[in-house]
Amino acid sequence: THQEQLVAKVLTEFGIRYEQQYSIGQYTVDFFLPELKMVLEADGIYGHSRKADKKRDEAIGQLYPVEHIKETTVEGIAERIKEMICLE
């Protein structure tokens, strides 16, 4: 998605290594940050509200923290990622 492209751009600009469309068990996540042992989901304005998405987040959350990005601009995404990983 366009939002995923923006998230990838910001992660690259911050020098954060990531795997996109990464499989964790039976699930595929938008981004896995191996050094930070964190999962990022690019939700856009809709978020993950389906029952299956919540079940997936709970299962993955037992292994890694799952953070959701709703922001859709480079600036908003950059600020959200800074908050999540304490970059300042």
Side-chain angles (χ1 to χ4, degrees):
T1 67
H2 179 67
Q3 185 196 25
E4 288 175 0
Q5 292 172 349
L6 296 179
V7 171
K9 177 181 177 177
V10 170
L11 291 171
T12 299
E13 287 176 357
F14 286 161
I16 299 170
R17 193 168 75 80
Y18 63 90
E19 300 289 333
Q20 196 165 355
Q21 298 303 309
Y22 185 80
S23 293
I24 299 175
Q26 68 187 37
Y27 303 105
T28 300
V29 299
D30 293 336
F31 296 91
F32 177 63
L33 313 181
E35 282 88 13
L36 300 173
K37 295 182 177 20
M38 177 185 291
V39 169
L40 297 182
E41 285 294 315
D43 293 340
I45 58 173
Y46 300 105
H48 283 215
S49 58
R50 290 186 6 229
K51 192 174 189 176
D53 291 333
K54 290 180 182 180
K55 180 179 176 184
R56 185 199 64 169
D57 282 0
E58 288 173 6
I60 293 170
Q62 292 179 6
L63 301 170
Y64 307 106
V66 179
E67 296 287 345
H68 293 270
I69 298 176
K70 293 183 180 7
E71 292 75 13
T72 57
T73 65
V74 170
E75 297 80 10
I77 291 167
E79 285 304 312
R80 177 74 175 113
I81 290 174
K82 284 180 189 178
E83 291 170 6
M84 285 188 297
I85 60 175
C86 301
L87 278 179
E88 286 299 334

